[in-house]
């Protein structure tokens, strides 16, 4: 096993298997992955900050076995920040907080290609700082159908005084985030609200939308997964890589760009690959920054 | 190997204190099944039923009673139970060293391994080595999940194993069994002794396997290939009625959306 010691902010980190091709169909090695996360660090770190990370590790590559790891691996450098998360039965679990570049590199080195985080911070696990509409297309519906639903959602939320932001899931769907950032918000609120919205869309666009999770309702429709608004659930972090054939990224899109893309008949155009993600982030900064700061109140609850 | 311990602390005796984690040493071989509703494959949940009222009892109405006779109980609260539970401890303190062969197998409960934590590797190796040479086991007490256990710590290969032991009062005495009857004949004794001697072997656990488990696993593999799986409906399927004001506001907003499209 090849090893390379690097030093980041005065901390030593041992990187392993850098030449290992983790996206064999595309040709994207561990070194490429580390390079991607290093270059995207300044926009992804604020979204990982103080959140309990769930690692999704692909030690043998994206086409091989993976495993989820909620507990922070025991063999971690002493400088990795952690938080204690309460479980049932008075037990506690130690989770990793990815608050700096060195921890991000350490996590990437564990072949955790995908970084999943909850909608709440570790210190206030019952307070979602945003609400999410997870738009998941059931075959043969695709990301273009998700784009239609996302645009309807944007217009539906506007008269209620709410602004949403949209990102690709990096797989087949889209995620619409509604920033809240108010300490009194609960997951009961966000779930109730997102469910009511999902059901009204289902009622008005029955051919396009379903709010039901059962597979038989989802064929050819966009499933609005409102149940993601839960303290026990995690979402793929914006700017995280996804484990598909190609190193696609969960990437934010401007509403105007989504409108343009929805009008063209090419679902692939909505997808953002790692190299493009880096150059777009360098040019436009963090299109998702409002998710972390904009304060909005859910009305009529 | 990245292991996640179920307990972290130190093992200590005299002046040595080694940071360790406790991990399970066995993975139960039993194949477990979920119980499903045959109509829709929903996994079934256990609920508490009050047979008197024929109602499901919510968690906040469930309390503990110690049965002292038919329909008679002494009530105990969680706080009271907690007040008599031992303090959580972070040490496995070896009190004495014993010969494990003196311990009857009926005392053995659950086996675990102790894994060295960061900084403890060297002292751990030393302890493993010394315990192997002396062929002794350390007897210790420690608290795991609100219960104090008596445990034996012994070296196994390159590692330390920890076995929780039953307390004396938990062991049913063999003297309570049917009393022995009749005299034993010397002839019979020596014949039986000989046949035991003829059957002597080394302990080779790899010669034995849970055949039922293997057959179940083969059956499952075959069925997965031939018949595939069934899928449970996801939960929370019932149509929810949101707050009336919210529904009204959403409907108004929806009218505007449709008008502008």
């Amino acid at each position: 096993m090849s090893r390379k010691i690097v030093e980041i902010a005065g901390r030593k980190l041992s990187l392993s298997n850098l030449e290992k091709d983790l996206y064999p169909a595309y040709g994207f090695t561990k070194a490429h992955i580390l390079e991607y996360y290093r270059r995207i660090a300044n926009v992804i770190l604020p979204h990982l900050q103080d959140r309990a990370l769930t690692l999704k590790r692909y030690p043998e590559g994206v086409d091989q076995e993976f495993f989820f790891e909620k507990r922070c691996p025991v063999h971690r450098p002493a400088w990795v920040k952690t938080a204690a998360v309460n479980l049932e039965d008075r037990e506690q679990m130690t989770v990793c907080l990815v608050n700096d570049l060195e921890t991000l590199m350490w996590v990437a080195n564990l072949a955790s290609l995908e970084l999943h985080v909850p909608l709440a911070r570790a210190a206030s696990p019952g307070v979602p700082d945003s609400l999410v509409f997870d738009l998941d297309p059931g075959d043969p519906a695709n990301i273009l159908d998700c784009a239609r639903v996302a645009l309807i959602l944007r217009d539906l939320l506007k008269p209620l005084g709410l602004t949403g932001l949209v990102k690709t899931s990096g797989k087949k769907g889209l995620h619409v985030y509604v920033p809240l950032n108010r300490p009194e918000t609960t997951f009961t609120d966000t779930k109730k609200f997102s469910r009511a919205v999902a059901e009204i869309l289902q009622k008005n666009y029955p051919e396009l939308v379903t709010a039901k999770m059962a597979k038989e309702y989802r064929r050819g429709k966009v499933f609005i997964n409102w149940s993601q608004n839960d303290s026990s659930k995690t979402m793929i972090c914006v700017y995280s890589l996804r484990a598909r054939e190609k190193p696609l990224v969960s990437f934010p899109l401007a509403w105007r760009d989504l409108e343009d893309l929805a009008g063209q008949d090419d679902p692939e155009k909505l997808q953002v690959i790692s190299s493009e993600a880096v150059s777009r982030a360098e040019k436009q900064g963090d299109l998702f920054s409002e998710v972390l700061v904009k304060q909005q109140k859910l009305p009529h609850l | 190997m990245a292991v996640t311990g179920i307990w972290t602390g130190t093992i200590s005796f005299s002046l040595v204190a080694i940071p360790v984690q406790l991990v399970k040493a066995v993975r139960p071989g039993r194949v477990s099944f979920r119980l499903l509703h045959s109509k829709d494959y929903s996994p079934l949940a256990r609920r508490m039923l009050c047979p008197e009222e024929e109602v499901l009892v919510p968690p906040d109405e469930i309390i503990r009673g110690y049965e002292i006779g038919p329909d008679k109980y002494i009530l105990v609260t969680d706080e009271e139970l907690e007040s008599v539970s031992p303090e959580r401890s972070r040490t496995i303190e070896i009190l004495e060293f014993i010969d494990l062969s003196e311990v009857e197998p009926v005392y053995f409960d659950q086996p675990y391994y102790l894994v060295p934590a960061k900084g403890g590797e060297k002292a751990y190796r030393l302890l493993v080595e010394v315990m192997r040479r002396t062929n002794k086991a350390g007897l210790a007490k420690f608290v795991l999940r609100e219960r104090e256990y008596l445990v034996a710590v012994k070296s196994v290969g390159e590692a330390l194993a920890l076995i929780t032991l039953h307390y004396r009062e938990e062991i049913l005495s063999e003297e309570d069994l049917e009393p022995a009857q009749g005299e034993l004949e010397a002839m019979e004794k020596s014949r039986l002794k000989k046949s035991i001697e003829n059957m002597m072997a080394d302990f080779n656990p790899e010669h034995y396997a849970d055949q039922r488990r293997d057959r179940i696993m083969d059956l499952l593999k075959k069925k997965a290939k031939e018949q595939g799986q069934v899928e449970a409906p996801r939960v929370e399927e019932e149509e929810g009625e949101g707050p009336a004001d919210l529904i009204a506001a959403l409907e108004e907003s929806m009218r505007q959306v449709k008008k502008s499209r």
Side-chain angles (χ1 to χ4, degrees), chain B residues 134-151:
Chain B
T134 57
N135 201 18
K136 296 282 181 242
L139 200 64
K141 276 183 154 190
F142 97 111
V143 179
L144 179 68
R145 299 203 186 101
E146 290 153 16
R147 223 195 121 180
E148 188 172 52
Y149 287 90
L150 180 66
V151 302

Side-chain angles (χ1 to χ4, degrees), chain A residues 151-178:
Chain A
L151 292 166
I152 298 169
L153 259 174
R154 175 195 62 176
D155 296 348
L156 182 71
L157 293 173
K158 201 184 278 171
L160 300 172
L162 295 171
T163 302
L165 293 95
V166 65
K167 70 177 172 78
T168 63
S169 71
K171 288 202 160 166
K172 294 175 177 167
L174 291 175
H175 299 153
V176 175
Y177 280 60
V178 180

